[in-house]
Amino acid sequence: MTLDSDTKIVRTGACYDCGGRCVHKLYVQNGRVVRMETDDGEEPQLRSCARGRAYRQIVYHPDRLRYPMKRAGSRGEGKFERISWDEALDTIATEFKRVKEKYGNAAILGSDWSGPAGIFHGQRHLTRILNLFGGGTMTSGGASGENSTFAARAVYGTMTNGNTRDDHMNSKLMILWGWNPANSIWSTGTTLHLVRARETGARVIYIDPRFTDSAATLADQWIPIRPGTDAALLLAMANVIITENLQEQSFLNKYTVGFDIFRNYVTGTGDGVPKTSHWAENVTGIPATIIEQLAREYATLKPAALIPGYAPGRTAYGTEFHRLTATLAAMTGNIGIHGGGAAGFERGPVGIMIGPVIPQGRNPLEEGTPSLRGSLDTDLRRRFRPHHCEVWDLILRGKAGGYPTDIKLLYVVGSDVLNQFPNVNKGVQALQKLEFIVMHEQFITPTAKFADILLPANTNWERNDIARPWLSGPYYIFMNQAIDSMYETKSDFEIFCALGKRLGITYSDKTEEEWLEKLVRTSADLAEDIPDYEKFKKDGVQKLKLTGPQISFEKEINDPGHNPFPTPSGKIEIYSDRLAKLNNPSMPAVPKYIETWESVNDPMAEKYPLQLVTTHHKTRAHSCFDNVSWLKELEPQVVWINRIDSESRGIRDGQQVLVFNERGKTVTRAKVTERIMPGVVSMGEGAWYTPDKNGIDWGGNPNVLTRDSYCAGGGWPTNTCLVEVLPLQEELAGGNV
Ligand SMILES: Nc1nc2c(c(=O)[nH]1)N[C@H]1C(S)=C(S)[C@@H](COP(=O)(O)OP(=O)(O)OC[C@H]3O[C@@H](n4cnc5c(=O)[nH]c(N)nc54)[C@H](O)[C@@H]3O)O[C@H]1N2
Ligand SMILES: Nc1nc2c(c(=O)[nH]1)N[C@H]1C(S)=C(S)[C@@H](COP(=O)(O)OP(=O)(O)OC[C@H]3O[C@@H](n4cnc5c(=O)[nH]c(N)nc54)[C@H](O)[C@@H]3O)O[C@H]1N2
Ligand code: SF4
Ligand SMILES: [Mo]
């Protein structure tokens, strides 16, 4: 490519809900990005993954939404006609006022999710406009790691439990548990640090029903486990450690409460069931000898870092998994030391976790409700904020079903809610019932097909923003606008400013750039991290210089007298008095193994014998990028199935199969592989739901199969799901969409 003098280089960033945040170096000619490269600056470089490198395929995608549209066919059909911005905004304002007057504000449901993931063009714009308009119904229960954050609050009293990634070099043993950063990133640079840890001699054990890319490239040993049974494995490890007296008793005495009660449960003194390795072998499918080896290694190879992913927690009783990883970290004395790890929520102790810049204000409908900050009472929260996973039920049954309100209007910003929430078929019924649906989108996604008014959103390269990676990445990205907003697209911020005018609301008194500058210059913490705002903008990135690896709970361990843990007891709570008081058997006072519904022993398993896990896909950020053909070539949507299960069903590698249960049917191709254990199948979440006239999905979307239940701790149980997989019948194959 020739770079003439007109070529402008713009340093910006990629920002998707993928865990990472990366540097983009763009070459812009005549207002068009003609080439993109990634970080070529100082180490550690923040290099884009395959998705970020394909971002031109999103920005210049022929299917991009260009103009405001209104529905021209039936809901779900996907037929629209172009209208003006004035007509679109007037219609929305009229509907807002009508619904408010006729039913009250609680009839408006807001859904803003992870699409725009910057700190300005991120979530909460929708919350703000609804709050300014008199409030709306919002939902609760984070999709990602809610069971993990619940456990972190219960055990440690804080979500800052992680160490910076450069500390992994100090570990002798690493246990990666249901955690696949080779694909799911979890802070750009994570994999690099894991490779370095391995090179420095750390032994790496990988626990997952699948032999993932992380297992293949990073691990010395793969331990396949039945989904939803991780708590049983951890209890058996505790049992081995206790039986062989390998626990760090002095650590437990000094820093924890409730170990004795826990020990009684583990050894079976209380319930008559010792949680031995043989007991766990039956539950998890892992040979007892392997369980014993794992327990001994974790107790003796110190320092050791056990890193839990969120996925084992996205099971019916996933809170117990996360409470138990933290309990085992305490039993082995790995908390607050270099090379160790608290095995809680992995947020590290550096970089400011900046919330949304735009203030969301207070929801007048929630006036007088108790503050639930830090509370473990998820039932109480659900009473005024229904759980995300019950949103279809809320719409379908409303007050008659015991919910606080009847929903009439749905406003969706930055979410593919139909595609991404469990039980798509129920979602389709729910969306048909509503009086009005409005959405801001970049594409006509599976959800957007149901909108009455569809507004075109711009992309990361068409606006300015700041981005922070998840958890512990010690850097900030300035996402410089590289090109003008294409066609008639606008940012969500610009849309709400315009809508606000029609509703008599001043949505903002500042421009996008003024908000960003104010944030950096007026936050004392940020001003320290980013001393020179103009340089930050010019470079597009601010990498923090650390004096060395940073450890969570270092103070609490080194000087406990002055630094109690922020729990009610001031200690690590293996036993939780707060949970005891809630008296909920799904959230026991000491962590336990509770068999999930839809386990292999469920009566449903007779018809649907395979356990489905729904994983975060290498080539997508949820449903984003599913329409990029380059990425589909890199890794197509498939269902992983073990040869033992495929042969008994007459399924060949690459063949079209039907994956189904009582909730739905989806068609995809089989990947017959030894990389998944027998009895378990897996599909990537985020594939676009593509129904035919019989309601069969041809897009391979696993959410037509998942159950719309929620976990006691607030999490999503999207890895607890029974299915059957069979070759696609001839007559079905004819009905392709
Ligand atoms: N490429 C990509 N990366 C992403 C995202 C994305 O959409 N695409 N999304 C981001 C977001 S929002 C999130 S929340 C995170 C999610 O991060 P994670 O939850 O860690 O990611 P998953 O891919 O769902 O699961 C990781 C592994 O856990 C395994 N697993 C599933 N169930 C169980 C179980 O019961 N026990 C055990 N031991 N293992 C199990 C799966 O086989 C999978 O290999 O990823 C982030 N990163
Ligand atoms: N079965 C199963 N389901 C899951 C999961 C799972 O593991 N298994 N994981 C869950 C998790 S962890 C999460 S976080 C959720 C994610 O759920 P969602 O946030 O609903 O998922 P996305 O597909 O990322 O939807 C974002 C949408 O925003 C659009 N978008 C991008 N940028 C902009 C913008 O600037 N403005 C506007 N208005 N729109 C924009 C994109 O085109 C996309 O359609 O999915 C959950 N669903
Ligand atoms: S998808 Fe995530 S990891 Fe990949 S380039 Fe974008 S921000 Fe980086
Ligand atoms: Mo997530």
Side-chain angles (χ1 to χ4, degrees):
M1 194 193 69
T2 47
L3 296 181
D4 53 38
S5 55
D6 290 340
T7 308
K8 202 170 63 167
I9 291 183
V10 181
R11 292 182 188 273
T12 181
C15 181
Y16 266 96
D17 186 29
C18 57
R21 298 289 181 267
C22 313
V23 169
H24 280 182
K25 183 178 169 190
L26 305 183
Y27 295 78
V28 184
Q29 277 175 359
N30 300 324
R32 193 177 165 88
V33 180
V34 291
R35 180 181 169 78
M36 83 148 284
E37 292 172 0
T38 184
D39 197 356
D40 53 6
E42 64 180 319
E43 293 283 353
Q45 291 184 345
L46 305 163
R47 300 170 75 95
S48 284
C49 73
R51 289 157 282 162
R53 287 167 195 243
Y55 199 54
R56 261 169 31 95
Q57 303 294 307
I58 290 279
V59 176
Y60 298 113
H61 199 295
D63 295 346
R64 256 191 80 180
L65 265 175
R66 297 167 181 222
Y67 318 105
M69 311 248 253
K70 73 173 178 201
R71 183 160 59 83
S74 59
R75 280 216 182 117
E77 208 183 329
K79 282 200 186 133
F80 292 93
E81 67 190 42
R82 179 177 176 180
I83 54 174
S84 67
W85 269 105
D86 277 337
E87 183 183 343
L89 292 169
D90 286 343
T91 311
I92 300 167
T94 307
E95 282 297 308
F96 252 50
K97 289 176 194 159
R98 180 187 69 80
V99 169
K100 178 177 178 145
E101 232 163 71
K102 191 161 170 199
Y103 306 106
N105 279 76
I108 303 175
L109 178 67
S111 181
D112 66 340
W113 276 77
S114 57
I119 63 169
F120 183 70
H121 296 288
Q123 287 175 330
R124 301 294 172 257
H125 283 281
L126 178 62
T127 317
R128 174 171 172 82
I129 194 125
L130 291 182
N131 287 348
L132 291 170
F133 185 62
T137 294
M138 301 304 283
T139 40
S140 66
S144 315
E146 188 81 6
N147 283 342
S148 170
T149 55
F150 175 91
R153 283 185 278 123
V155 180
Y156 293 119
T158 167
M159 292 183 334
T160 303
N161 301 176
N163 302 347
T164 49
R165 297 269 176 240
D166 49 353
D167 184 55
H168 296 334
M169 297 243 299
N170 297 318
S171 300
K172 287 219 174 68
L173 172 72
M174 298 203 65
I175 304 177
L176 314 187
W177 200 309
W179 188 52
N180 179 20
N183 292 165
S184 63
I185 313 291
W186 277 52
S187 273
T188 304
T190 293
T191 320
L192 178 71
H193 287 297
L194 292 173
V195 168
R196 285 195 180 141
R198 184 104 189 279
E199 282 169 0
T200 352
R203 175 167 156 71
V204 181
I205 301 178
Y206 189 85
I207 304 175
D208 191 313
R210 305 187 312 147
F211 185 72
T212 60
D213 288 354
S214 300
T217 53
L218 299 167
D220 296 290
Q221 183 182 7
W222 170 44
I223 303 180
I225 183 168
R226 260 181 216 137
T229 67
D230 302 84
L233 172 56
L234 284 152
L235 286 167
M237 288 166 69
N239 191 295
V240 172
I241 292 173
I242 291 167
T243 312
E244 300 184 7
N245 207 16
L246 297 175
Q247 73 273 21
E248 291 256 350
Q249 195 60 48
S250 58
F251 185 98
L252 290 166
N253 295 345
K254 196 164 172 191
Y255 301 109
T256 72
V257 288
F259 179 68
D260 289 347
I261 306 171
F262 177 68
R263 178 167 43 201
N264 286 344
Y265 170 68
V266 169
T267 53
T269 317
D271 61 2
V273 185
K275 314 300 174 299
T276 61
S277 49
H278 291 278
W279 166 83
E281 175 171 334
N282 281 330
V283 180
T284 60
I286 305 168
T289 47
I290 303 269
I291 299 175
E292 289 154 21
Q293 162 242 323
L294 176 66
R296 286 182 199 125
E297 283 189 336
Y298 188 34
T300 54
L301 266 183
K302 275 183 70 176
L306 188 168
I307 307 206
Y310 297 153
R314 279 200 299 276
T315 52
Y317 301 100
T319 45
E320 304 309 286
F321 162 71
H322 289 290
R323 291 172 71 202
L324 281 164
T325 53
T327 303
L328 268 282
M331 285 177 67
T332 54
N334 272 304
I335 298 164
I337 59 169
H338 283 279
F345 188 69
E346 278 291 300
R347 183 158 94 195
V350 295
I352 314 303
M353 291 311 292
I354 338 165
V357 182
I358 195 100
Q360 56 186 96
R362 280 191 60 83
N363 186 349
L365 300 182
E366 291 182 3
E367 218 56 72
T369 49
S371 161
L372 291 176
R373 230 184 133 76
S375 161
L376 301 176
D377 194 347
T378 42
D379 269 351
L380 186 60
R381 178 177 285 115
R382 265 192 53 244
R383 262 176 249 158
F384 54 93
R385 283 197 183 188
H387 195 278
H388 298 305
C389 292
E390 59 187 344
V391 65
W392 306 138
D393 204 52
L394 160 69
I395 295 172
L396 287 169
R397 299 198 303 136
K399 282 185 191 150
Y403 293 100
T405 179
D406 291 320
I407 302 295
K408 305 289 178 185
L409 188 158
L410 174 66
Y411 206 130
V412 184
V413 179
S415 172
D416 199 355
V417 43
L418 179 64
N419 210 67
Q420 292 306 115
F421 282 35
N423 205 346
V424 173
N425 289 317
K426 198 166 175 182
V428 169
Q429 285 176 36
L431 293 181
Q432 296 293 4
K433 192 177 173 222
L434 292 164
E435 291 185 6
F436 188 70
I437 303 174
V438 49
M439 229 176 134
H440 305 181
E441 248 306 342
Q442 294 167 338
F443 295 100
I444 303 184
T445 59
T447 314
K449 285 186 176 170
F450 288 76
D452 297 303
I453 296 282
L454 200 46
L455 303 179
N458 65 8
T459 67
N460 289 325
W461 288 352
E462 294 157 282
R463 59 199 186 210
N464 295 290
D465 210 339
I466 292 175
R468 272 279 295 131
W470 279 17
L471 308 169
S472 55
Y475 64 90
Y476 303 86
I477 301 239
F478 195 97
M479 301 165 67
N480 283 293
Q481 179 174 349
I483 52 174
D484 291 338
S485 284
M486 292 173 66
Y487 320 112
E488 286 189 14
T489 64
K490 292 182 196 294
S491 69
D492 300 312
F493 168 71
E494 288 168 325
I495 296 174
F496 284 131
C497 287
L499 179 63
K501 282 195 189 123
R502 284 163 168 85
L503 297 172
I505 290 167
T506 308
Y507 185 74
S508 170
D509 57 0
K510 285 187 250 324
T511 63
E512 164 192 276
E513 285 188 85
E514 284 165 355
W515 278 110
L516 292 174
E517 188 162 353
K518 175 174 173 256
L519 169 81
V520 177
R521 292 200 197 274
T522 58
S523 148
D525 291 330
L526 264 188
E528 197 177 306
D529 282 351
I530 305 173
D532 186 341
Y533 180 68
E534 292 308 325
K535 185 169 186 312
F536 174 43
K537 272 177 77 170
K538 188 169 144 285
D539 295 347
V541 62
Q542 176 85 46
K543 297 177 187 174
L544 304 187
K545 298 255 182 293
L546 303 180
T547 48
Q550 308 289 306
I551 311 295
S552 283
F553 304 127
E554 210 167 16
K555 291 195 317 285
E556 287 81 351
I557 297 304
N558 291 341
D559 183 9
H562 294 101
N563 301 289
F565 282 85
T567 54
S569 63
K571 302 211 169 182
I572 299 166
E573 298 203 344
I574 296 174
Y575 169 92
S576 165
D577 207 31
R578 286 178 294 170
L579 290 179
K581 287 198 177 105
L582 291 176
N583 199 19
N584 177 347
S586 302
M587 300 191 279
V590 292
K592 293 190 170 166
Y593 169 66
I594 309 172
E595 186 169 345
T596 68
W597 33 265
E598 299 197 22
S599 76
V600 286
N601 300 317
D602 192 305
M604 188 177 157
E606 279 171 31
K607 256 174 113 179
Y608 306 108
L610 297 169
Q611 287 185 283
L612 171 73
V613 294
T614 60
T615 60
H616 290 239
H617 201 65
K618 180 177 182 172
T619 60
R620 293 188 291 264
H622 309 301
S623 74
C624 303
F625 298 99
D626 194 48
N627 54 353
V628 174
S629 57
W630 287 10
L631 292 171
K632 274 200 201 295
E633 275 179 43
L634 184 64
E635 191 163 295
Q637 182 71 2
V638 288
V639 57
W640 287 27
I641 184 165
N642 186 281
R643 190 168 302 282
I644 292 175
D645 297 316
S646 69
E647 281 181 356
S648 62
R649 289 168 174 79
I651 294 169
R652 292 182 318 277
D653 187 39
Q655 186 180 349
Q656 268 192 321
V657 289
L658 189 71
V659 189
F660 63 102
N661 62 18
E662 274 148 23
R663 291 177 288 267
K665 295 179 176 156
T666 183
V667 177
T668 187
R669 288 188 188 275
K671 173 180 165 122
V672 175
T673 173
E674 311 302 320
R675 291 179 62 174
I676 190 160
M677 68 188 282
V680 183
V681 291
S682 87
M683 294 173 80
E685 60 105 316
W688 283 23
Y689 167 66
T690 314
D692 65 13
K693 56 184 184 314
N694 301 316
I696 296 172
D697 167 42
W698 289 75
N701 183 330
N703 276 332
V704 304
L705 308 163
T706 48
R707 176 165 136 177
D708 51 327
S709 298
Y710 52 87
C711 308
W716 291 33
T718 37
N719 288 322
T720 297
C721 181
L722 285 176
V723 298
E724 178 56 297
V725 182
L726 289 176
L728 191 68
Q729 291 162 1
E730 300 287 319
E731 63 268 30
L732 265 184
N736 206 337
V737 279

